[in-house]
């Protein structure tokens, strides 16, 4: 994201500020000069006194000249891109313009970045002519999602002898957003999906038979083939059938953020996998024109989200994806211990398709999650296996951890529950959920027959 150019005029600080900019060389010259002058007075050596005065005055003159310098420079920072997935690189472009009528001296350019993005970049710019421009760039990379400030930009001015060094800072900074990794998901036919849409698509008006038609008054331009003659005879005025008004398919992605449901930290932890999986599903469903909503165990959703979630149409889809990715970039563990708040939100209406990413569940929370299925057209749960995420691959699995029992409870309640082992790919688990759903549907059909 480009920022407007900022003009930074070198401010005149106090004499203490200027003297504080003396380098090690300048301080050494000043100390040596003072010592030589004192020794010259004690020993009565005039030549030594002149040498001492020269050594002491040289750094002071350099400081005064640099202190009186009036450079006017403009700085611009541009991020490409400003929103980057975890583990990917972004490039930061810096541009310095000399907007004064005087050429600059040697400039040392430094940008402040958080340590997780890499080392602090430093550049040395040679003399910049009046009206001239210099451009440099550097790369940043982070394996941890989040929002990281870049800046402010700093300039270091030095004299030709290296006696003094003054730092001037610009006031603005930019923000790099590192979002979760998004894995492309294969298209599958979801449970209860209507043709061309997905779970949760409903007709707002019943069109099953002649008695279910809800007519309205005739309006100029209505197709005469839609005239409902029975209602026209009943009301004494021309009545027409209402047009079919389908609602948009809806999908709610539930992310379990309870701190006690996950163990470990870092980019390869179970919680980071769940965040990345939720991001992948959100983007996938937006691309399929669903109205998507992100919900956490605390009952909160994305700021600015409508009652039916974000619509996945055109430019709005990209903006909605950006808002949800920004939310997931900074989401962290909650202090909650249960899923009851999320259940209170879900039981308020039909949520269409429900996709949940759940951590470790005890029996009580598994019961709450099972009841969420009642208010959704279809439900898919990705439950992280705590045993495989904590132990090493060479360790023997701990018996009786209850993970399979929790999966059984969810499946009996109507969920398509998929166990998530360590290192699993979201695309393959997405296909597995489709296969399990298809198998359950086939068994259900056989049972009905």
């Amino acid at each position: 994201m480009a920022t407007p150019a900022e003009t930074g005029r070198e401010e005149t600080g106090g004499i203490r500020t200027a003297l504080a900019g003396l380098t090690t060389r300048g301080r050494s010259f000043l100390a040596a000069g003072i010592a030589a002058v004192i020794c010259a007075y004690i020993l009565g050596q005039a030549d030594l006194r002149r040498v001492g005065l020269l050594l002491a005055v040289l750094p002071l003159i350099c400081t005064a000249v640099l202190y009186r310098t009036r450079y006017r420079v403009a700085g611009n920072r541009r991020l490409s891109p400003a929103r980057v997935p975890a583990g990917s690189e972004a490039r930061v472009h810096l541009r310095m313009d000399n907007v004064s009528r005087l050429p600059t001296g040697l400039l040392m350019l430094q940008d402040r970045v958080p340590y997780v993005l890499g080392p602090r970049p430093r550049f040395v710019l040679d003399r910049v002519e009046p009206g001239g421009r210099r451009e440099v760039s550097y790369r940043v990379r982070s394996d941890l999602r989040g929002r990281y400030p870049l800046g402010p930009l700093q300039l270091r001015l030095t004299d030709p002898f290296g006696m003094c060094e003054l730092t001037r800072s610009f006031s603005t900074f930019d923000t790099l957003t590192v979002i979760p990794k998004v894995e492309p998901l294969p298209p599958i036919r979801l449970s209860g999906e209507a043709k061309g849409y997905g779970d949760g698509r409903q007709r707002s008006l019943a069109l099953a038979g002649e008695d279910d038609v809800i007519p309205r008054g005739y309006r100029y331009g209505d197709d005469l083939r839609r005239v409902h003659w029975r209602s026209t005879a009943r009301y004494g005025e021309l009545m027409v059938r209402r047009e079919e008004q389908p609602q948009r398919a809806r999908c709610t992605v539930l992310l379990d953020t309870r701190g006690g449901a996950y163990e470990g930290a870092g980019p390869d932890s179970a919680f980071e996998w769940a965040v990345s999986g939720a991001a992948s599903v959100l983007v996938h469903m937006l691309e399929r024109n669903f109205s998507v909503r992100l919900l956490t165990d605390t009952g909160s959703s994305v700021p600015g989200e409508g009652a039916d979630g974000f619509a996945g149409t055109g430019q709005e889809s990209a903006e909605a994806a950006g808002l949800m990715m920004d939310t997931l970039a900074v989401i962290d563990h909650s202090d909650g211990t249960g899923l009851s708040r999320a259940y209170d939100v879900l039981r308020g209406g039909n949520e269409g398709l429900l996709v949940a990413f759940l951590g470790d569940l005890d029996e009580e929370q598994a019961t709450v999650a099972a009841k969420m299925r009642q208010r959704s057209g279809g439900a898919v749960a990705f439950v992280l296996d705590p045993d495989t995420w904590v132990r090493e691959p060479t360790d023997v699995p701990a018996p009786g951890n209850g993970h399979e029992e929790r999966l059984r409870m969810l499946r009996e309640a109507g969920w398509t529950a998929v166990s998530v082992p360590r290192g699993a790919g979201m695309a393959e688990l997405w296909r597995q959920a489709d296969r399990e759903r298809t198998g359950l549907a086939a068994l259900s059909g056989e049972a009905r027959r």
Side-chain angles (χ1 to χ4, degrees):
M1 175 172 49
T3 58
E6 172 195 347
T7 301
R9 184 179 180 87
E10 302 302 324
E11 299 178 354
T12 58
I15 191 63
R16 291 183 180 179
T17 303
L19 292 177
L22 286 173
T23 62
T24 302
R25 179 184 301 178
R27 295 175 187 271
S28 300
F29 268 65
L30 182 60
I34 294 175
V37 171
I38 294 175
C39 292
Y41 276 107
I42 295 176
L43 302 176
Q45 296 291 329
D47 294 338
L48 181 59
R49 183 172 60 252
R50 286 191 289 268
V51 173
L53 290 175
L54 176 62
L55 293 177
V57 169
L58 181 59
L60 297 178
I61 293 176
C62 293
T63 301
V65 172
L66 195 62
Y67 171 74
R68 300 296 298 176
T69 299
R70 292 295 183 269
Y71 295 149
R72 296 187 67 243
V73 293
N76 177 280
R77 183 191 297 105
R78 179 171 57 88
L79 305 182
S80 178
R83 185 186 289 119
V84 62
S88 300
E89 290 185 345
R91 183 167 288 275
V92 183
H93 301 269
L94 303 177
R95 190 184 72 189
M96 301 302 299
D97 296 281
N98 183 11
V99 296
S100 65
R101 297 181 180 180
L102 298 175
T104 68
L106 189 66
L107 299 178
M108 296 180 62
L109 187 64
Q110 175 178 280
D111 205 8
R112 301 183 63 180
V113 301
Y115 72 94
V116 296
L117 298 182
R120 180 171 296 182
R122 294 181 175 90
F123 305 93
V124 177
L125 304 181
D126 203 355
R127 177 180 179 273
V128 182
E129 65 279 4
R133 175 186 300 174
R134 297 291 185 271
E135 295 184 5
V136 294
S137 64
Y138 63 93
R139 295 176 296 180
V140 291
R141 180 181 182 272
S142 175
D143 293 328
L144 297 175
R145 56 186 175 81
R147 293 173 61 88
Y148 302 102
L150 301 179
L153 195 63
Q154 293 181 334
L155 280 178
R156 288 188 178 183
L157 308 178
T158 59
D159 64 280
F161 300 102
M163 299 290 181
C164 185
E165 186 176 271
L166 297 181
T167 301
R168 296 291 182 262
S169 298
F170 293 92
S171 59
T172 60
F173 62 91
D174 293 289
T175 301
L176 175 67
T177 303
V178 180
I179 63 176
K181 294 180 181 179
V182 176
E183 185 175 350
L185 301 182
I188 62 175
R189 185 171 178 82
L190 301 167
S191 176
E193 180 176 355
K195 185 176 180 180
Y197 291 86
D199 275 51
R201 179 169 176 82
Q202 304 170 337
R203 301 176 185 272
S204 60
L205 299 176
L207 299 176
E210 193 72 17
D211 294 336
D212 296 326
V213 175
I214 303 177
R216 62 169 176 81
Y218 175 82
R219 298 171 185 169
Y220 179 78
D222 285 339
D223 191 347
L224 293 177
R225 289 174 296 183
R226 291 172 39 224
V227 173
H228 191 250
W229 298 109
R230 180 179 298 179
S231 299
T232 300
R234 179 183 303 173
Y235 294 104
E237 59 176 319
L238 202 58
M239 305 293 290
V240 297
R241 298 182 178 89
R242 293 179 182 266
E243 294 180 348
E244 181 181 343
Q245 299 177 358
Q247 294 181 352
R248 179 175 297 278
R250 300 179 60 185
C251 174
T252 297
V253 177
L254 173 62
L255 177 61
D256 182 8
T257 63
R258 294 173 298 137
Y262 304 91
E263 294 189 23
D268 297 328
S269 63
F271 180 67
E272 293 302 320
W273 189 97
V275 174
S276 178
S280 302
V281 173
L282 287 169
V283 173
H284 179 71
M285 303 311 288
L286 279 174
E287 292 175 349
R288 299 189 63 186
N289 294 327
F290 275 67
S291 290
V292 180
R293 179 170 68 162
L294 173 63
L295 184 67
T296 66
D297 57 289
T298 61
S300 60
S301 57
V302 180
E305 187 179 84
D308 294 333
F310 290 106
T313 56
Q315 182 64 26
E316 295 180 356
S317 176
E319 295 177 356
L323 286 174
M324 288 187 287
M325 292 302 104
D326 289 344
T327 300
L328 290 176
V330 296
I331 200 168
D332 202 354
H333 291 294
S334 67
D335 297 331
T337 58
L339 301 173
S340 57
R341 294 183 182 178
Y343 172 69
D344 293 338
V345 175
L346 291 174
R347 70 179 180 179
N350 194 328
E351 298 300 322
L353 175 66
L354 175 60
V355 181
F357 290 86
L358 304 174
D360 189 16
L361 298 174
D362 55 21
E363 184 175 358
E364 179 182 356
Q365 302 312 317
T367 303
V368 175
K371 293 189 293 184
M372 295 180 184
R373 175 64 179 87
Q374 303 172 1
R375 301 302 301 174
S376 61
V380 181
F382 297 95
V383 186
L384 280 78
D385 187 352
D387 184 53
T388 61
W389 283 92
V390 173
R391 67 179 175 84
E392 295 296 329
T394 56
D395 294 343
V396 179
N401 60 1
H403 177 67
E404 293 297 331
E405 179 65 20
R406 308 296 181 256
L407 292 177
R408 185 187 62 81
M409 293 177 60
L410 294 178
R411 288 164 181 161
E412 289 179 352
W415 284 84
T416 300
V418 179
S419 177
V420 181
R422 185 174 186 175
M426 185 60 208
E428 179 56 34
L429 293 176
W430 192 247
R431 295 190 186 95
Q432 180 182 343
D434 179 55
R435 291 193 297 266
E436 293 189 7
R437 179 202 59 80
T438 304
L440 290 174
L443 291 176
S444 178
E446 292 291 338
R448 286 195 298 268
R449 285 195 293 271

PDB file of all heavy atoms in Angstrom, residues 358-379:
ATOM      1  N   LEU A 358     -12.508 -27.524  15.278  1.00  0.00           N
ATOM      2  CA  LEU A 358     -12.578 -27.712  16.715  1.00  0.00           C
ATOM      3  C   LEU A 358     -11.273 -28.279  17.244  1.00  0.00           C
ATOM      4  O   LEU A 358     -10.645 -29.135  16.603  1.00  0.00           O
ATOM      5  CB  LEU A 358     -13.731 -28.658  17.071  1.00  0.00           C
ATOM      6  CG  LEU A 358     -15.121 -28.250  16.552  1.00  0.00           C
ATOM      7  CD1 LEU A 358     -16.127 -29.337  16.847  1.00  0.00           C
ATOM      8  CD2 LEU A 358     -15.553 -26.922  17.164  1.00  0.00           C
ATOM      9  N   GLY A 359     -10.889 -27.815  18.429  1.00  0.00           N
ATOM     10  CA  GLY A 359      -9.728 -28.353  19.111  1.00  0.00           C
ATOM     11  C   GLY A 359     -10.117 -29.544  19.956  1.00  0.00           C
ATOM     12  O   GLY A 359     -11.047 -30.292  19.638  1.00  0.00           O
ATOM     13  N   ASP A 360      -9.420 -29.734  21.045  1.00  0.00           N
ATOM     14  CA  ASP A 360      -9.694 -30.857  21.932  1.00  0.00           C
ATOM     15  C   ASP A 360     -11.035 -30.640  22.623  1.00  0.00           C
ATOM     16  O   ASP A 360     -11.293 -29.576  23.188  1.00  0.00           O
ATOM     17  CB  ASP A 360      -8.565 -30.986  22.963  1.00  0.00           C
ATOM     18  CG  ASP A 360      -8.683 -32.265  23.765  1.00  0.00           C
ATOM     19  OD1 ASP A 360      -9.433 -33.166  23.332  1.00  0.00           O
ATOM     20  OD2 ASP A 360      -8.021 -32.382  24.820  1.00  0.00           O
ATOM     21  N   LEU A 361     -11.886 -31.652  22.587  1.00  0.00           N
ATOM     22  CA  LEU A 361     -13.230 -31.560  23.162  1.00  0.00           C
ATOM     23  C   LEU A 361     -13.362 -32.531  24.316  1.00  0.00           C
ATOM     24  O   LEU A 361     -12.934 -33.689  24.227  1.00  0.00           O
ATOM     25  CB  LEU A 361     -14.296 -31.899  22.108  1.00  0.00           C
ATOM     26  CG  LEU A 361     -14.398 -30.997  20.877  1.00  0.00           C
ATOM     27  CD1 LEU A 361     -15.399 -31.567  19.889  1.00  0.00           C
ATOM     28  CD2 LEU A 361     -14.802 -29.585  21.279  1.00  0.00           C
ATOM     29  N   ASP A 362     -13.962 -32.048  25.404  1.00  0.00           N
ATOM     30  CA  ASP A 362     -14.365 -32.972  26.448  1.00  0.00           C
ATOM     31  C   ASP A 362     -15.802 -33.400  26.165  1.00  0.00           C
ATOM     32  O   ASP A 362     -16.428 -32.990  25.185  1.00  0.00           O
ATOM     33  CB  ASP A 362     -14.216 -32.345  27.834  1.00  0.00           C
ATOM     34  CG  ASP A 362     -14.974 -31.026  27.959  1.00  0.00           C
ATOM     35  OD1 ASP A 362     -15.915 -30.797  27.164  1.00  0.00           O
ATOM     36  OD2 ASP A 362     -14.629 -30.212  28.845  1.00  0.00           O
ATOM     37  N   GLU A 363     -16.346 -34.221  27.016  1.00  0.00           N
ATOM     38  CA  GLU A 363     -17.685 -34.757  26.764  1.00  0.00           C
ATOM     39  C   GLU A 363     -18.741 -33.661  26.764  1.00  0.00           C
ATOM     40  O   GLU A 363     -19.673 -33.670  25.945  1.00  0.00           O
ATOM     41  CB  GLU A 363     -18.019 -35.813  27.823  1.00  0.00           C
ATOM     42  CG  GLU A 363     -19.355 -36.505  27.588  1.00  0.00           C
ATOM     43  CD  GLU A 363     -19.596 -37.630  28.588  1.00  0.00           C
ATOM     44  OE1 GLU A 363     -18.703 -37.890  29.424  1.00  0.00           O
ATOM     45  OE2 GLU A 363     -20.680 -38.239  28.519  1.00  0.00           O
ATOM     46  N   GLU A 364     -18.603 -32.683  27.668  1.00  0.00           N
ATOM     47  CA  GLU A 364     -19.588 -31.607  27.752  1.00  0.00           C
ATOM     48  C   GLU A 364     -19.584 -30.756  26.484  1.00  0.00           C
ATOM     49  O   GLU A 364     -20.649 -30.453  25.927  1.00  0.00           O
ATOM     50  CB  GLU A 364     -19.293 -30.733  28.966  1.00  0.00           C
ATOM     51  CG  GLU A 364     -20.257 -29.555  29.124  1.00  0.00           C
ATOM     52  CD  GLU A 364     -19.902 -28.685  30.309  1.00  0.00           C
ATOM     53  OE1 GLU A 364     -18.953 -29.043  31.044  1.00  0.00           O
ATOM     54  OE2 GLU A 364     -20.563 -27.646  30.499  1.00  0.00           O
ATOM     55  N   GLN A 365     -18.401 -30.393  26.021  1.00  0.00           N
ATOM     56  CA  GLN A 365     -18.324 -29.552  24.826  1.00  0.00           C
ATOM     57  C   GLN A 365     -18.700 -30.335  23.568  1.00  0.00           C
ATOM     58  O   GLN A 365     -19.235 -29.758  22.613  1.00  0.00           O
ATOM     59  CB  GLN A 365     -16.924 -28.955  24.689  1.00  0.00           C
ATOM     60  CG  GLN A 365     -16.492 -28.128  25.882  1.00  0.00           C
ATOM     61  CD  GLN A 365     -17.568 -27.141  26.314  1.00  0.00           C
ATOM     62  OE1 GLN A 365     -18.186 -26.486  25.481  1.00  0.00           O
ATOM     63  NE2 GLN A 365     -17.781 -27.032  27.627  1.00  0.00           N
ATOM     64  N   ALA A 366     -18.425 -31.614  23.547  1.00  0.00           N
ATOM     65  CA  ALA A 366     -18.860 -32.433  22.418  1.00  0.00           C
ATOM     66  C   ALA A 366     -20.387 -32.485  22.348  1.00  0.00           C
ATOM     67  O   ALA A 366     -20.975 -32.489  21.256  1.00  0.00           O
ATOM     68  CB  ALA A 366     -18.277 -33.842  22.532  1.00  0.00           C
ATOM     69  N   THR A 367     -21.057 -32.503  23.510  1.00  0.00           N
ATOM     70  CA  THR A 367     -22.521 -32.490  23.531  1.00  0.00           C
ATOM     71  C   THR A 367     -23.068 -31.172  23.002  1.00  0.00           C
ATOM     72  O   THR A 367     -24.043 -31.133  22.242  1.00  0.00           O
ATOM     73  CB  THR A 367     -23.015 -32.728  24.967  1.00  0.00           C
ATOM     74  OG1 THR A 367     -22.491 -33.970  25.453  1.00  0.00           O
ATOM     75  CG2 THR A 367     -24.530 -32.752  25.011  1.00  0.00           C
ATOM     76  N   VAL A 368     -22.425 -30.061  23.388  1.00  0.00           N
ATOM     77  CA  VAL A 368     -22.847 -28.753  22.881  1.00  0.00           C
ATOM     78  C   VAL A 368     -22.645 -28.673  21.376  1.00  0.00           C
ATOM     79  O   VAL A 368     -23.510 -28.188  20.634  1.00  0.00           O
ATOM     80  CB  VAL A 368     -22.063 -27.629  23.594  1.00  0.00           C
ATOM     81  CG1 VAL A 368     -22.411 -26.272  22.988  1.00  0.00           C
ATOM     82  CG2 VAL A 368     -22.357 -27.627  25.082  1.00  0.00           C
ATOM     83  N   ALA A 369     -21.507 -29.156  20.905  1.00  0.00           N
ATOM     84  CA  ALA A 369     -21.238 -29.131  19.458  1.00  0.00           C
ATOM     85  C   ALA A 369     -22.239 -30.007  18.718  1.00  0.00           C
ATOM     86  O   ALA A 369     -22.662 -29.665  17.600  1.00  0.00           O
ATOM     87  CB  ALA A 369     -19.815 -29.595  19.188  1.00  0.00           C
ATOM     88  N   ALA A 370     -22.624 -31.118  19.294  1.00  0.00           N
ATOM     89  CA  ALA A 370     -23.588 -31.999  18.635  1.00  0.00           C
ATOM     90  C   ALA A 370     -24.926 -31.301  18.443  1.00  0.00           C
ATOM     91  O   ALA A 370     -25.602 -31.482  17.421  1.00  0.00           O
ATOM     92  CB  ALA A 370     -23.756 -33.283  19.452  1.00  0.00           C
ATOM     93  N   LYS A 371     -25.349 -30.477  19.400  1.00  0.00           N
ATOM     94  CA  LYS A 371     -26.631 -29.784  19.278  1.00  0.00           C
ATOM     95  C   LYS A 371     -26.612 -28.684  18.222  1.00  0.00           C
ATOM     96  O   LYS A 371     -27.662 -28.255  17.756  1.00  0.00           O
ATOM     97  CB  LYS A 371     -27.016 -29.186  20.639  1.00  0.00           C
ATOM     98  CG  LYS A 371     -27.334 -30.239  21.689  1.00  0.00           C
ATOM     99  CD  LYS A 371     -27.925 -29.610  22.938  1.00  0.00           C
ATOM    100  CE  LYS A 371     -26.918 -28.748  23.661  1.00  0.00           C
ATOM    101  NZ  LYS A 371     -27.456 -28.206  24.939  1.00  0.00           N
ATOM    102  N   MET A 372     -25.418 -28.203  17.845  1.00  0.00           N
ATOM    103  CA  MET A 372     -25.343 -27.176  16.803  1.00  0.00           C
ATOM    104  C   MET A 372     -25.843 -27.696  15.463  1.00  0.00           C
ATOM    105  O   MET A 372     -26.285 -26.918  14.609  1.00  0.00           O
ATOM    106  CB  MET A 372     -23.896 -26.701  16.647  1.00  0.00           C
ATOM    107  CG  MET A 372     -23.325 -25.991  17.857  1.00  0.00           C
ATOM    108  SD  MET A 372     -21.610 -25.485  17.568  1.00  0.00           S
ATOM    109  CE  MET A 372     -21.182 -24.799  19.170  1.00  0.00           C
ATOM    110  N   ARG A 373     -25.789 -28.979  15.272  1.00  0.00           N
ATOM    111  CA  ARG A 373     -26.219 -29.566  13.995  1.00  0.00           C
ATOM    112  C   ARG A 373     -27.700 -29.351  13.732  1.00  0.00           C
ATOM    113  O   ARG A 373     -28.134 -29.309  12.566  1.00  0.00           O
ATOM    114  CB  ARG A 373     -25.903 -31.071  14.021  1.00  0.00           C
ATOM    115  CG  ARG A 373     -26.400 -31.865  12.821  1.00  0.00           C
ATOM    116  CD  ARG A 373     -25.707 -31.418  11.553  1.00  0.00           C
ATOM    117  NE  ARG A 373     -26.166 -32.180  10.408  1.00  0.00           N
ATOM    118  CZ  ARG A 373     -27.235 -31.870   9.677  1.00  0.00           C
ATOM    119  NH1 ARG A 373     -27.972 -30.808  10.010  1.00  0.00           N
ATOM    120  NH2 ARG A 373     -27.585 -32.599   8.644  1.00  0.00           N
ATOM    121  N   GLN A 374     -28.485 -29.149  14.764  1.00  0.00           N
ATOM    122  CA  GLN A 374     -29.928 -29.028  14.604  1.00  0.00           C
ATOM    123  C   GLN A 374     -30.328 -27.786  13.834  1.00  0.00           C
ATOM    124  O   GLN A 374     -31.404 -27.740  13.242  1.00  0.00           O
ATOM    125  CB  GLN A 374     -30.604 -29.032  15.978  1.00  0.00           C
ATOM    126  CG  GLN A 374     -30.299 -30.261  16.813  1.00  0.00           C
ATOM    127  CD  GLN A 374     -30.823 -30.143  18.229  1.00  0.00           C
ATOM    128  OE1 GLN A 374     -31.437 -29.143  18.597  1.00  0.00           O
ATOM    129  NE2 GLN A 374     -30.570 -31.167  19.045  1.00  0.00           N
ATOM    130  N   ARG A 375     -29.510 -26.736  13.829  1.00  0.00           N
ATOM    131  CA  ARG A 375     -29.864 -25.467  13.201  1.00  0.00           C
ATOM    132  C   ARG A 375     -29.105 -25.232  11.899  1.00  0.00           C
ATOM    133  O   ARG A 375     -28.948 -24.102  11.469  1.00  0.00           O
ATOM    134  CB  ARG A 375     -29.581 -24.313  14.159  1.00  0.00           C
ATOM    135  CG  ARG A 375     -30.323 -24.404  15.474  1.00  0.00           C
ATOM    136  CD  ARG A 375     -31.811 -24.469  15.277  1.00  0.00           C
ATOM    137  NE  ARG A 375     -32.317 -23.323  14.563  1.00  0.00           N
ATOM    138  CZ  ARG A 375     -33.566 -23.163  14.141  1.00  0.00           C
ATOM    139  NH1 ARG A 375     -34.433 -24.139  14.338  1.00  0.00           N
ATOM    140  NH2 ARG A 375     -33.941 -22.072  13.515  1.00  0.00           N
ATOM    141  N   SER A 376     -28.647 -26.282  11.255  1.00  0.00           N
ATOM    142  CA  SER A 376     -27.895 -26.123  10.018  1.00  0.00           C
ATOM    143  C   SER A 376     -28.393 -27.120   8.984  1.00  0.00           C
ATOM    144  O   SER A 376     -28.881 -28.206   9.309  1.00  0.00           O
ATOM    145  CB  SER A 376     -26.395 -26.338  10.264  1.00  0.00           C
ATOM    146  OG  SER A 376     -26.154 -27.642  10.744  1.00  0.00           O
ATOM    147  N   GLY A 377     -28.263 -26.729   7.709  1.00  0.00           N
ATOM    148  CA  GLY A 377     -28.652 -27.628   6.639  1.00  0.00           C
ATOM    149  C   GLY A 377     -27.657 -28.743   6.430  1.00  0.00           C
ATOM    150  O   GLY A 377     -28.000 -29.822   5.956  1.00  0.00           O
ATOM    151  N   GLY A 378     -26.419 -28.522   6.759  1.00  0.00           N
ATOM    152  CA  GLY A 378     -25.363 -29.514   6.670  1.00  0.00           C
ATOM    153  C   GLY A 378     -24.256 -29.096   7.614  1.00  0.00           C
ATOM    154  O   GLY A 378     -24.085 -27.912   7.894  1.00  0.00           O
ATOM    155  N   ALA A 379     -23.513 -30.047   8.126  1.00  0.00           N
ATOM    156  CA  ALA A 379     -22.498 -29.724   9.120  1.00  0.00           C
ATOM    157  C   ALA A 379     -21.273 -30.595   8.905  1.00  0.00           C
ATOM    158  O   ALA A 379     -21.379 -31.823   8.799  1.00  0.00           O
ATOM    159  CB  ALA A 379     -23.040 -29.917  10.542  1.00  0.00           C
TER     160      ALA A 379
END
